[in-house]
Amino acid sequence: MPARHKVSQSEVQSAKQAVLKRLYGRAALPELVSLDDPLSAVYALLNQTVSSNEGNSALVLGPRGSGKSAIIDRCLDRLQAEHNTASSPKYHTVRLNGFVHTNDRLALRDIARQLLITQDLEHVLVGSFADAFTYILNLLRSDEKEVVPPVLFILDEFDLLAQHPKQSLLYTLFDIAQSQQTPIAVIGLTARIDVMDLLEKRVKSRFSHRQIYVRSVQTLDQFKCIAQLALHISTDDGVSANYADEFNQQVDELLASDAVAGYMEYLFDFGKDTRQLLQTLASSVLQLSVDLPHPQQSPTAACVEREMQSAKLQVLANVSVLELCLIIAMKSLVQVGSTKYNFEMVYDEYKTFMSRHMMAVAAGGAMKIYKKPVALKAFETLIELEIVRPFTTEGGAAFGRNDLLAGTAAGNRVPKEYRMVQLMLEPGQVMELAADRPDIPAVIRRWAQQ
């Protein structure tokens, strides 16, 4: 809608930058929704290390997008405001990430960089990891009698760091935190609930076994509240009160629209990933201008429609009628309890159905039964599209896609017609695929709906 009050270019740019920073995670939301308990637990642990020079360690566990990083950022901001000053920092913060620091040597170099250690460490890195790490921490002292200031270690993607050979980094950090030699806090963030099984016995013995669980939002209203907090603006964002009121009113109308409300419900039921929701809503903010200073529903609705389209169904949009029939035949086998099947079983199911209906006349005319070599070629096309994949058993070896397409697999004499496979589509997706094809006979469409 057009602005009732005149809006300047600077106001639009300020609002656009402020909202995009929150949507893309570069700025914190004004408040955290349903995260009070884990926030208090993490802050208390970090504050004990900073205030009382205690060594602590903990794991923060939760699904992706549940708010683990937001909790850490909020705690660090609060500690920064309460304890640190620009002239004399009371503690140091080091952040490591399992995606970036793929080995202990890289992690050690970055620890020294984040602690502002400018000394050449080449002669130190040749020794053990523990000795090199202790040497770096001792460099933080201004004199030998001074105690090393507290250091807060934040380990993102903790499960990937646990896959380093010998786990020297984790063992050293947990050992120092437990021994109280140097006041450090070690906080690991991971989405894997079984992360403790990845730790070696010696690492477990040094870990405090303190685990803080972060749950995703529990209600749809909380999910919607996160979107409102990210999209709403205020005078603190460098805009006038009138513009903020109009902007926020348009945001509420956008979130209440059928397309966005349906998308939020879909995401909430599917995985409650707030990051995906916020990044999708960014499309409405990217279009802001002086002529259109408020979020518009049309670009957001178009983006939502693209997000809700299944990539698999897009790949299969132009498959032949025979290939679609083979997909429906595999769906029928799944419905009668078959967890694995081969081409012969699929073709037999297809032939049985078509024999009963090949005389039926639909919109496209009479149907026909394709011969087995033709059907096998269509089946191989589905394998190439990776809609059909080899069946795997726990602890057993599986054929690869190339093995399925080859005459025989390496070390296996099973003909390709008899190798067990699985369909990588849900029954509902098969029904949707058939419903979107006006060119197929009505009998086949009804077969898919059964």
Side-chain angles (χ1 to χ4, degrees), residues 328-404:
I328 299 173
M330 285 183 273
K331 167 183 170 289
S332 300
L333 290 173
V334 171
Q335 289 177 326
V336 298
S338 299
T339 58
K340 58 181 180 178
Y341 30 84
N342 55 35
F343 168 74
E344 290 291 339
M345 297 169 62
V346 174
Y347 184 75
D348 184 65
E349 181 74 16
Y350 158 73
K351 187 176 180 180
T352 301
F353 174 83
M354 297 298 289
S355 297
R356 295 197 305 263
H357 299 89
M358 71 178 198
M359 298 305 296
V361 178
M367 296 183 296
K368 59 178 287 189
I369 300 178
Y370 288 91
K371 294 183 179 180
K372 186 177 291 187
V374 179
L376 179 58
K377 186 65 177 177
F379 191 75
E380 291 175 346
T381 301
L382 297 178
I383 295 175
E384 291 177 344
L385 294 174
E386 298 186 354
I387 300 302
V388 175
R389 58 160 286 178
F391 176 78
T392 57
T393 57
E394 186 174 354
F399 302 122
R401 184 187 67 175
N402 294 334
D403 292 329
L404 280 176

Side-chain angles (χ1 to χ4, degrees), residues 7 31 98 135 172 205 217 219 237 240 285 321 330 342 367-368:
V7 181
E31 62 181 89
Y135 176 80
T172 303
S205 67
V217 290
T219 66
D237 295 320
S240 65
V285 182
V321 175
M330 285 183 273
N342 55 35
M367 296 183 296
K368 59 178 287 189

Side-chain angles (χ1 to χ4, degrees), residues 222-235:
Q222 292 176 341
F223 200 58
K224 181 179 178 181
C225 181
I226 293 175
Q228 288 178 324
L229 289 171
L231 290 173
H232 279 186
I233 61 175
S234 66
T235 54

Side-chain angles (χ1 to χ4, degrees), residues 120-316:
D120 185 15
L121 301 175
E122 289 300 327
H123 67 288
V124 179
L125 295 176
V126 297
S128 68
F129 182 89
D131 291 341
F133 185 76
T134 303
Y135 176 80
I136 290 175
L137 290 181
N138 288 333
L139 291 177
L140 298 177
R141 293 193 179 111
S142 58
D143 58 67
E144 295 183 357
K145 296 181 180 181
E146 185 183 1
V147 177
V148 175
V151 184
L152 310 180
F153 287 89
I154 310 300
L155 310 182
D156 288 297
E157 305 298 337
F158 180 86
D159 52 295
L160 297 181
L161 294 173
Q163 296 177 21
H164 290 187
K166 299 182 180 179
Q167 298 181 353
S168 300
L169 170 65
L170 300 182
Y171 176 79
T172 303
L173 290 174
F174 288 152
D175 184 53
I176 293 177
Q178 183 194 52
S179 63
Q180 305 291 334
Q181 297 173 355
T182 303
I184 71 171
V186 184
I187 307 294
L189 281 67
T190 180
R192 289 192 57 170
I193 201 70
D194 62 341
V195 67
M196 291 297 297
D197 297 334
L198 302 176
L199 300 181
E200 295 180 359
K201 185 176 180 180
R202 66 182 188 126
V203 179
K204 289 182 181 179
S205 67
R206 298 300 191 273
F207 178 47
S208 67
H209 291 266
R210 184 187 289 111
Q211 299 180 29
I212 301 171
Y213 293 94
V214 180
R215 294 183 178 182
S216 300
V217 290
Q218 300 300 302
T219 66
L220 185 59
D221 288 339
Q222 292 176 341
F223 200 58
K224 181 179 178 181
C225 181
I226 293 175
Q228 288 178 324
L229 289 171
L231 290 173
H232 279 186
I233 61 175
S234 66
T235 54
D236 295 335
D237 295 320
V239 299
S240 65
N242 291 332
Y243 178 44
D245 291 340
E246 292 180 7
F247 189 96
N248 295 340
Q249 179 183 352
Q250 192 71 6
V251 166
D252 294 338
E253 293 178 3
L254 173 67
L255 297 180
S257 64
D258 293 338
V260 178
Y263 181 62
M264 286 194 292
E265 186 174 353
Y266 165 79
L267 285 183
F268 180 80
D269 293 337
F270 185 74
K272 302 181 178 67
D273 191 343
T274 56
R275 291 179 300 185
Q276 184 176 351
L277 171 63
L278 298 183
Q279 290 174 7
T280 302
L281 294 175
S283 59
S284 62
V285 182
L286 291 169
Q287 308 291 332
L288 293 181
S289 64
V290 176
D291 297 329
L292 294 172
H294 307 121
Q296 303 297 309
Q297 294 187 18
S298 54
T300 308
C303 185
V304 165
E305 184 179 357
R306 290 193 301 269
E307 287 291 326
M308 295 190 69
Q309 288 178 347
S310 170
K312 293 179 181 178
L313 297 186
Q314 290 178 346
V315 170
L316 295 173

